[in-house]
Amino acid sequence: IYKKFHDSLSYLDINGMYVDAQVEYKYPYGKMKHASAEMLAKINLYRNNPKFWNRCSNPPKTHGSGAGIQVHPYGGFVKVDVVFNKWSLEPSLAYRLKDGRLIWDVGTYSECWMTTMDAELVLRTKGKITKVHDALYYDNCAEVFKKWATKMYQGRKEAKAEGNKVLAGMMKLLGN
């Protein structure tokens, strides 16, 4: 199935996934910045490349010869026009109905705010971002959860080895 559908129809819930993601990945932090018109123009050039949105795995790149313009902010929020793949099992964008219910749906939406991680997911599930209207982004990225997650995982492992189910459960909850 993976080769045929290129992971667009898969959904996994893996034990330990949160702790693993906290240890293995970097996350943005600090004060958010508002994208300039020049940066938005650059972002729009790369908006349908999923690797562009993978914010912390690669350092920001500069655009042009000596221009020094970051075309890859470290993550944040973007206001986009988006078209979801109608076969997507997990649409990235939720919206609130007039009766207050929150739903996730596929379709075409204009000027919707989403995280840069959601933008990457839209593209990985064969959706399209037709325009980026605005962006708020971070300039910093680090392994902010690694020490904590490692400590909680190690504590859980030790508690399990000692047969202390209550402490093991607490460490799991704290790790998540």
Side-chain angles (χ1 to χ4, degrees):
I1 291 176
Y2 175 81
K3 288 180 181 177
K4 185 174 180 183
F5 296 107
H6 307 287
D7 93 344
S8 63
L9 295 176
S10 63
Y11 174 80
L12 298 174
D13 188 4
I14 301 170
N15 187 26
M17 183 171 57
Y18 295 115
V19 173
D20 184 64
Q22 291 171 350
V23 170
E24 296 297 322
Y25 296 99
K26 294 179 180 179
Y27 292 88
Y29 70 92
K31 186 177 179 183
M32 294 191 91
K33 295 182 178 182
H34 195 257
S36 67
E38 186 177 13
M39 181 181 268
L40 283 174
K42 305 293 186 201
I43 291 171
N44 271 295
L45 289 176
Y46 299 97
R47 70 179 179 265
N48 280 305
N49 179 347
K51 291 180 182 177
F52 170 76
W53 296 105
N54 193 354
R55 76 270 170 260
C56 284
S57 62
N58 301 305
K61 296 179 173 80
T62 57
H63 182 77
S65 57
I69 301 297
Q70 283 189 342
V71 295
H72 182 297
Y74 274 130
F77 300 90
V78 287
K79 186 179 188 180
V80 297
D81 293 347
V82 63
V83 179
F84 288 101
N85 175 353
K86 68 179 180 178
W87 299 106
S88 180
L89 293 178
E90 227 179 301
S92 306
L93 186 66
Y95 65 96
R96 194 166 302 278
L97 297 174
K98 289 181 182 183
D99 66 6
R101 290 181 295 156
L102 188 64
I103 66 167
W104 284 258
D105 200 3
V106 294
T108 301
Y109 301 95
S110 297
E111 298 190 15
C112 301
W113 281 98
M114 64 173 50
T115 68
T116 52
M117 292 178 76
D118 289 336
E120 179 189 358
L121 182 60
V122 166
L123 300 175
R124 285 192 300 118
T125 57
K126 311 299 183 234
K128 296 279 184 237
I129 296 172
T130 56
K131 184 173 182 179
V132 178
H133 296 276
D134 203 356
L136 300 169
Y137 67 95
Y138 296 96
D139 257 347
N140 302 300
C141 194
E143 295 172 328
V144 294
F145 300 112
K146 186 173 189 167
K147 188 175 177 182
W148 171 262
T150 302
K151 185 176 181 178
M152 294 302 107
Y153 181 74
Q154 189 60 38
R156 179 179 178 210
K157 207 166 136 180
E158 290 170 9
K160 275 182 156 181
E162 295 167 2
N164 190 338
K165 292 179 181 180
V166 174
L167 183 58
M170 274 182 36
M171 298 304 268
K172 178 182 168 61
L173 291 172
L174 289 170
N176 287 341

